[in-house]
């Protein structure tokens, strides 16, 4: 296990120790998360630099590209360092037009796991998240038991070591845990969107790793001004402050910001060394209320 893991480490299950500052590989694909990257050599360099910086947690999926990102990970890092943990997702496929198609039939989930294994060059996946709902958040899924049960069978067969969930509610976590251990949850959560506050706290209490996606988006202009002001005082970028806030928000949080640039990767990793003082945390914590104030005054703006 790396002694220099950025942000420290979290071990939600035996054999699954993750650097709390991880790397999300989605952006290694081309525009629209489709096709090859503009610069494949830079994509390979980003992955190798991530490992060199002490990151032991890479998040990916075969539907990124599709297949392209997993193939680049294999090219860059195989044979994999012994402490590297690759967390992947199943539950979707890509249409010929690049559309995202939910695909959670048990037989196809089994096929997706085997495709991830093949393209990553692995015999066993460290962790697999079942993606439910939509990118914006959880949605009812009456067949969760059947779908998660199919992955639990693969876990018992040794093709998967650990299971998790993505875009889920707390009730769905409870339902899944009755079938098999849940070690990771990946949901929309950031400084501006804290609808999952209670789920984050639950994950901390139950030693489940919570990986926020879209960690830097959704800010209104008023919220952005607050964030920018705090960042200026700390001589950091707003993005670094937002990532540092997440790391300090809960010991259960593991970050997977994505980038296709080595320079940007280094900036993200540097956020793990940023210690937010109590007054900055208090000011950032108040951002959630600023969204309400803006709505009342009629001020609005696009997501960042």
């Amino acid at each position: 296990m790396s002694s220099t893991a950025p942000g420290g480490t979290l071990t939600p299950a035996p054999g699954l120790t993750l650097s709390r500052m991880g790397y999300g590989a989605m952006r290694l694909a081309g525009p629209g998360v489709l096709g090859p990257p503009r610069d494949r050599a830079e994509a390979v360099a980003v992955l190798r630099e991530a490992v060199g910086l002490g990151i032991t947690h890479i998040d990916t999926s075969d539907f990124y590209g599709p297949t392209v990102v997993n193939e680049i990970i294999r090219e860059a890092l195989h044979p994999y360092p012994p402490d590297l943990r690759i967390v992947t997702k199943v539950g979707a496929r890509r249409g010929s037009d690049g559309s995202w198609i939910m695909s959670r039939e048990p037989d196809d989930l089994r096929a997706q796991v085997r495709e991830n294994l093949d393209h990553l060059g692995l015999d066993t996946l460290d962790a697999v998240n079942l993606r439910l709902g939509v990118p914006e958040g959880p949605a009812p899924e009456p067949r969760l038991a059947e779908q998660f049960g199919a992955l639990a069978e693969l876990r018992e067969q040794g093709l998967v070591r650990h299971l998790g969930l993505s875009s889920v509610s707390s009730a769905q976590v409870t339902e899944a845990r009755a079938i098999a251990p849940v070690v990771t949850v990946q949901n929309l959560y950031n400084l501006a969107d804290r609808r999952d506050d209670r789920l984050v706290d639950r994950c901390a209490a139950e030693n489940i790793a919570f990986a926020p996606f879209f960690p830097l988006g959704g800010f209104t202009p008023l919220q952005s001004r607050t964030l920018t002001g705090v960042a200026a005082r700390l001589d950091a970028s707003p993005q670094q402050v937002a990532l540092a806030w997440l790391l300090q928000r809960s010991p259960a949080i593991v970050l997977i910001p994505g980038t296709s640039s080595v320079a940007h990767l280094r900036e993200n990793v540097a956020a793990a060394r940023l210690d937010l003082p109590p007054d900055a945390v208090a000011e950032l914590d108040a951002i959630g209320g600023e969204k309400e104030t803006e709505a009342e005054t009629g001020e609005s703006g696009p997501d960042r």
Side-chain angles (χ1 to χ4, degrees):
M1 181 177 64
S2 172
S3 60
T4 58
T9 61
L10 177 67
T11 303
L16 188 68
T17 295
L18 308 171
S19 56
R20 293 190 63 215
M21 175 63 77
Y23 172 71
M26 181 178 76
R27 293 190 182 180
L28 294 183
V33 199
L34 195 67
R38 294 187 178 95
D39 187 337
R40 190 179 184 96
E42 178 76 357
V44 169
V46 166
L47 287 161
R48 291 176 177 168
E49 180 71 5
V51 171
L53 291 170
I55 287 175
T56 64
H57 173 200
I58 292 178
D59 179 84
T60 186
S61 177
D62 221 39
F63 51 69
Y64 296 159
T67 77
V68 170
V69 168
N70 280 351
E71 290 167 350
I72 295 174
I73 291 172
R74 180 175 183 172
E75 175 186 341
L77 301 176
H78 194 277
Y80 300 109
D83 61 349
L84 182 65
R85 299 294 174 258
I86 298 177
V87 180
T88 189
K89 285 179 293 300
V90 295
R93 289 194 178 274
R94 305 299 297 278
S96 58
D97 59 352
S99 58
W100 300 82
I101 303 168
M102 295 299 101
S103 183
R104 295 189 292 266
E105 288 296 321
D107 283 347
D108 195 45
L109 292 174
R110 296 183 186 99
Q112 290 173 51
V113 165
R114 288 181 169 85
E115 289 161 9
N116 276 274
L117 286 166
D118 182 45
H119 294 127
L120 288 166
L122 290 168
D123 296 321
T124 305
L125 295 172
D126 290 313
V128 174
N129 289 323
L130 172 61
R131 177 176 172 175
L132 300 171
V134 295
E136 293 75 22
E141 179 47 70
R143 299 180 61 195
L144 172 59
E146 184 182 358
Q147 296 158 354
F148 199 69
L151 298 181
E153 290 173 4
L154 297 182
R155 176 176 171 267
E156 294 193 1
Q157 294 168 16
L159 296 180
V160 177
R161 292 189 179 93
H162 305 284
L163 299 177
L165 299 163
S166 178
S167 294
V168 291
S169 66
S170 185
Q172 289 171 324
V173 173
T174 299
E175 184 180 355
R177 290 193 75 189
I179 300 165
V182 173
V183 303
T184 63
V185 167
Q186 189 178 110
N187 272 18
L188 172 63
Y189 186 78
N190 55 45
L191 183 55
D193 190 331
R194 301 184 214 163
R195 285 172 288 183
D196 267 351
D197 265 336
R198 290 184 179 179
L199 184 53
V200 170
D201 293 339
R202 175 184 176 181
C203 286
E206 299 178 10
N207 195 35
I208 297 171
F210 186 100
F213 62 75
F214 204 31
L216 299 173
F219 292 90
T220 64
L222 180 57
Q223 293 170 328
S224 293
R225 286 197 292 273
T226 299
L227 177 60
T228 300
V230 171
R233 294 201 309 272
L234 299 177
D235 193 25
S237 71
Q239 292 82 1
Q240 287 174 324
V241 170
L243 292 173
W245 180 87
L246 283 166
L247 283 175
Q248 291 185 217
R249 164 64 181 83
S250 169
I253 284 182
V254 293
L255 299 182
I256 49 172
T259 179
S260 58
S261 157
V262 169
H264 188 204
L265 171 70
R266 291 171 180 159
E267 290 176 11
N268 287 342
V269 172
R273 300 191 297 271
L274 182 60
D275 186 24
L276 301 178
D279 62 325
V281 173
E283 191 170 353
L284 294 169
D285 284 347
I287 277 182
E290 288 177 350
K291 180 175 286 188
E292 249 180 60
T293 301
E294 249 179 37
E296 292 168 359
T297 61
E299 185 179 1
S300 62
D303 288 349
R304 287 180 35 153

